[in-house]
Amino acid sequence: TWFIACVTHDRQPVLAGNYELLIESLRRYSRSMPFDLIAYVVLPNHFHLLLTATMTTPDKIMQKVKLSFSRRL
């Protein structure tokens, strides 16, 4: 189980109106990678995740999720 905290570039409030895109990206990759998203908190300039995975690593999960979110933004 991992606790992950991620901050936006220069702490810009990018997530304020776009948190749905982040959650959709998390759900999309939780089905394909797979991992279990236990809990999350999304704030305007950062987010926290609690997740477990046995078939992949947190860095690979975050790479996919952040890339997906950025492209859709």
Side-chain angles (χ1 to χ4, degrees), residues 2-67:
W2 294 287
F3 173 78
I4 298 169
C6 188
V7 178
T8 61
H9 180 69
D10 291 335
R11 294 196 173 264
Q12 296 177 23
V14 176
L15 300 169
N18 300 298
Y19 67 91
E20 299 95 352
L21 294 176
L22 178 63
I23 294 167
E24 287 172 16
S25 295
L26 286 163
R27 289 187 176 145
R28 176 179 170 201
Y29 284 104
S30 71
R31 290 188 296 269
S32 67
M33 290 196 73
F35 63 90
D36 293 319
L37 183 60
I38 299 167
Y40 62 88
V41 175
V42 181
L43 297 154
N45 64 0
H46 69 284
F47 61 90
H48 302 276
L49 305 175
L50 186 62
L51 58 88
T52 60
T54 56
M55 304 291 286
T56 190
T57 58
D59 59 317
K60 293 193 188 305
I61 293 168
M62 293 309 300
Q63 179 184 22
K64 298 276 189 183
V65 169
K66 288 168 50 176
L67 182 61

